[in-house]
Amino acid sequence: MRKLSQSMTGTNIVAMAVAAAGLTSTAHANENNDTSETAAVHESASESTAVAVQMSADAPVEVMDDTTSRRDFLPSGGRLLLTGGVSTIEGAGGGGLVPWALIGGYGTRDQVGVSAYATGVDTKDFTLASYGAAFNIANRVELSVARQNFNLREVGNALNLGNRYTISQTILGAKVRLFGDAILEQDSLLPQVAVGVQYKINDDEGVVEGALGLEREGVDIYASATKLILSKSLLLNATVRLTKANQFGILGFGGLGGQNQDYEAQFEGSVAYLLSRKFAVGGEYRTKSNRLEGALGGTSFREEDAWDIFAAYTLNRNVSLTVAYARLGQIALRRQDGAYASIQIGF
Amino acid sequence: MRNILSYCAAALIVTAQPALAAPEEPAVSDPSIKPSAPTLPVITDGTTLFEQFGGRDGLTKIMDDVMPRWLQNSRTRPFFANSDQERIKLQLVEQFCVIMNGPCEYSGRTMAEAHRGMNVDEAAFYALVEELQRSLNAMKVPFAAQNRLIAALAPMHRDIIDK
């Protein structure tokens, strides 16, 4: 068991994510209307299709599944691929680390959508597993729930907590788009702006509450501005977050001994470049507060800014995959960087 | 962080388009219709973009390719099935040509007038764009060039969606 945990690498996380993708993409294969760029011609007796067949004699046309029935049952999936972003490790729609003003999923102003995700981040000493779901209403409101399991692996042993000691927290999130449409308003520099809250409930009574004596609950409040500059194939996002969280809340809220309980503003930014309508690359940066430095003397428990470089690929409207190199900064004793892999499903 | 912000600011500044000689907008026959986005927003004074689409012949091929896609996609089919498809294709060739500074004249109406009462919803609007993207991919138009055209078309949503 101990050996197993030691060999838990980024590759394993990717493999797990891909395995999960296989299960879900099979389940939704029949609903998928996003087939390849070139495909065979439909054969049908209906008049409009007959026209299509005739007109496509010298141009390949792909098969389109009929989405009408799906529309009637649960209208969803109208917006362009990638324009909902992916799921952050805190459950909100955005990049991997930074929430965006975009409402997650592909629902238009007339639609609702649901999505779920699983993410693994594997650093030198720790493994962060995050999973959750979101409900999106009318491209206006995003409600999310996320669960984070932060596995201390060998560090757990070193701290006499036992091997694979895990700190967990639940994050309830809500985001509301205030104004702007990052995608449609291409003749204006006005971004899409949203505000959100994240209510974080850390379960850990042993370390966070016991050993460190920290608050286990906290609320983050953030505002995000996102703009797609389509003529440059560029997406930009800036977020400001008011928070008391240490290491995203995994190490509780506020400083040691009841000190440092004020909200601090943190700044987060994302840049993504669209390489095709299904593939984007980019980077993110997120500042974090540093309230626990010296908890074990010296520079122990120093907290540093986090960043990542990512590649996101959406197979279709139902499945997206993200891989990244993530650097979370120092956590506990050492700087933590490593592989990030995420799968998102939605409809 | 400061660097990232200044990059963002620089990117925002470079997107500001230089003023171009705009062709005259089509006349609106019904005075109650007030277009809120131009039908012919010329986005370049060069010829490169037009050439990346294969010129007028290329645009005609793109329209021949995309119309069957619009007729097969259930979200766009209702808006084309009982229409004069050849006329729509011709006018879109003319419109895209003018927008990309090609040597064409647009013979159609404003987007506001052409879409009035059609009840195009946002999902249908995006479905049309997506099928166009598929055609442009099939015709090997570079993705960045595609995005320049689609960015010029996007503001027309104000005259098209839910009208």
Side-chain angles (χ1 to χ4, degrees), chain A residues 34 37 55 60 62 64 67-68 71 76 78 108-109 184-187 189 229-230 233 276-277 317, chain B residues 4 15 65 69 72 74-75 85 89 121-122 126 130-131 133-134 143 147 151 154-155 157-158 161:
Chain A
D34 189 44
E37 300 299 335
M55 296 177 88
E62 65 195 282
M64 292 301 304
T67 56
T68 308
R71 240 174 130 186
S76 70
T108 67
R109 64 189 74 171
L184 289 175
E185 306 295 348
Q186 289 298 316
D187 55 349
L189 293 179
I229 300 172
L230 189 57
S233 306
S276 77
R277 69 191 185 90
R317 279 214 161 57
Chain B
I4 290 174
T15 51
D65 183 85
R69 297 177 192 269
Q72 284 199 352
S74 62
R75 283 188 168 141
Q85 291 144 14
K89 282 158 58 180
D121 66 7
E122 191 180 2
Y126 277 130
E130 187 162 44
E131 296 297 351
Q133 288 177 317
R134 289 196 174 107
F143 186 64
N147 287 345
H157 80 88
R158 294 193 287 268
I161 297 175

Side-chain angles (χ1 to χ4, degrees), chain A residues 221-243:
Chain A
I221 303 160
Y222 65 90
S224 293
T226 306
K227 187 71 194 175
L228 175 68
I229 300 172
L230 189 57
S231 61
K232 307 286 177 204
S233 306
L234 200 61
L235 184 138
L236 303 173
N237 174 75
T239 298
V240 59
R241 178 193 303 258
L242 296 175
T243 181

Side-chain angles (χ1 to χ4, degrees), chain A:
Chain A
M1 202 58 206
R2 185 179 164 127
K3 201 145 196 162
L4 187 70
S5 73
Q6 283 174 334
S7 68
M8 181 72 187
T9 64
T11 323
N12 287 351
I13 295 175
V14 175
M16 279 159 46
V18 169
L23 291 173
T24 47
S25 65
T26 310
H28 296 288
N30 293 335
E31 297 183 353
N32 172 19
N33 68 350
D34 189 44
T35 48
S36 64
E37 300 299 335
T38 56
V41 171
H42 243 344
E43 282 188 40
S44 164
S46 88
E47 195 180 277
S48 64
T49 316
V51 173
V53 169
Q54 185 214 331
M55 296 177 88
S56 63
D58 56 354
V61 170
E62 65 195 282
V63 174
M64 292 301 304
D65 291 347
D66 193 339
T67 56
T68 308
S69 57
R70 189 167 53 137
R71 240 174 130 186
D72 292 342
F73 172 63
L74 181 69
S76 70
R79 276 153 58 207
L80 295 181
L81 291 173
L82 286 174
T83 59
V86 293
S87 296
T88 64
I89 55 169
E90 290 160 320
L97 295 175
V98 179
W100 294 351
L102 302 173
I103 300 299
Y106 296 120
T108 67
R109 64 189 74 171
D110 311 309
Q111 302 173 329
V112 295
V114 291
S115 61
Y117 77 96
T119 298
V121 189
D122 200 59
T123 70
K124 276 195 186 71
D125 297 323
F126 308 112
T127 304
L128 173 65
S130 173
Y131 53 90
F135 182 50
N136 313 302
I137 305 158
N139 197 20
R140 174 67 65 186
V141 176
E142 175 190 288
L143 303 173
S144 59
V145 57
R147 179 79 174 161
Q148 294 181 340
N149 296 317
F150 189 76
N151 190 323
L152 271 58
R153 294 174 10 207
E154 292 302 291
V155 177
N157 263 354
L159 299 175
N160 285 325
L161 296 166
N163 199 22
R164 307 202 72 186
Y165 185 88
T166 298
I167 299 174
S168 298
Q169 69 171 343
T170 301
I171 303 169
L172 304 174
K175 175 163 63 176
V176 180
R177 178 170 69 86
L178 295 183
F179 57 84
D181 187 308
I183 317 299
L184 289 175
E185 306 295 348
Q186 289 298 316
D187 55 349
S188 158
L189 293 179
L190 187 74
Q192 177 166 332
V193 173
V195 292
V197 293
Q198 292 177 342
Y199 177 41
K200 301 181 173 183
I201 309 145
N202 191 315
D203 297 347
D204 189 73
E205 295 176 359
V207 175
V208 174
E209 185 173 287
L212 294 170
L214 298 168
E215 293 290 326
R216 287 196 293 113
E217 292 183 14
V219 177
D220 288 4
I221 303 160
Y222 65 90
S224 293
T226 306
K227 187 71 194 175
L228 175 68
I229 300 172
L230 189 57
S231 61
K232 307 286 177 204
S233 306
L234 200 61
L235 184 138
L236 303 173
N237 174 75
T239 298
V240 59
R241 178 193 303 258
L242 296 175
T243 181
K244 300 179 182 182
N246 307 309
Q247 305 289 11
F248 315 106
I250 289 158
L251 291 180
F253 303 85
L256 296 162
Q259 304 287 304
N260 230 338
Q261 297 295 317
D262 294 337
Y263 272 103
E264 279 179 24
Q266 303 297 334
F267 300 93
E268 308 175 7
S270 315
V271 179
Y273 183 75
L274 309 178
L275 289 163
S276 77
R277 69 191 185 90
K278 294 184 169 187
F279 188 48
V281 294
E284 300 184 288
Y285 196 96
R286 172 171 174 171
T287 68
K288 295 189 288 171
S289 60
N290 180 25
R291 301 177 198 236
L292 301 181
E293 181 167 359
L296 289 177
T299 59
S300 67
F301 284 86
R302 170 189 284 174
E303 185 166 353
E304 298 177 313
D305 298 348
W307 55 266
D308 70 67
I309 300 166
F310 67 83
Y313 182 75
T314 157
L315 283 73
N316 52 50
R317 279 214 161 57
N318 302 120
V319 183
S320 305
L321 298 171
T322 308
V323 293
Y325 169 77
R327 191 151 178 168
L328 302 180
Q330 181 176 326
I331 299 176
L333 304 178
R334 288 201 292 175
R335 188 166 280 171
Q336 304 297 330
D337 60 346
Y340 171 115
S342 181
I343 175 170
Q344 185 183 30
I345 59 166
F347 44 94

